[in-house]
Amino acid sequence: TNKPDDFGECGGDVQCGTCHVIVPEDWILDLPEIKDLEDDKLSTMFNAGTLSRLSCQLTVDEIMQDKIINLP
């Protein structure tokens, strides 16, 4: 369900993929494990790869400090 503080076309509900990002290989293992719904959405995108994630499914924390996320 959408909450007032959600951003993006789908409100964080993994319905669109507009938040597709590519994370650096050296810290992808530090991120939470990808969930089935996110993995399913990424598998439908032509430009997704092994370093792809949906930013709406990531929680920003100290692990991400000073990290750069690339846009496809």
Side-chain angles (χ1 to χ4, degrees):
T1 62
N2 293 350
K3 301 179 293 264
D5 58 346
D6 286 340
F7 298 98
E9 288 294 315
C10 69
D13 291 328
V14 193
Q15 295 175 8
C16 62
T18 59
C19 56
H20 177 210
V21 296
I22 301 168
V23 298
E25 187 173 10
D26 64 335
W27 63 281
I28 194 163
L29 296 177
D30 293 332
L31 297 176
E33 187 175 334
I34 193 167
K35 295 181 180 165
D36 289 341
L37 190 57
E38 180 182 2
D39 195 37
D40 289 346
K41 176 51 72 180
L42 286 169
S43 71
T44 66
M45 300 172 65
F46 75 93
N47 58 348
T50 58
L51 301 176
S52 294
R53 293 295 303 262
L54 297 179
S55 61
C56 68
Q57 300 302 298
L58 302 176
T59 301
V60 176
D61 59 17
E62 57 276 347
I63 291 173
M64 294 184 184
Q65 186 171 344
D66 300 322
K67 302 292 185 185
I68 295 173
I69 295 177
N70 297 299
L71 300 175

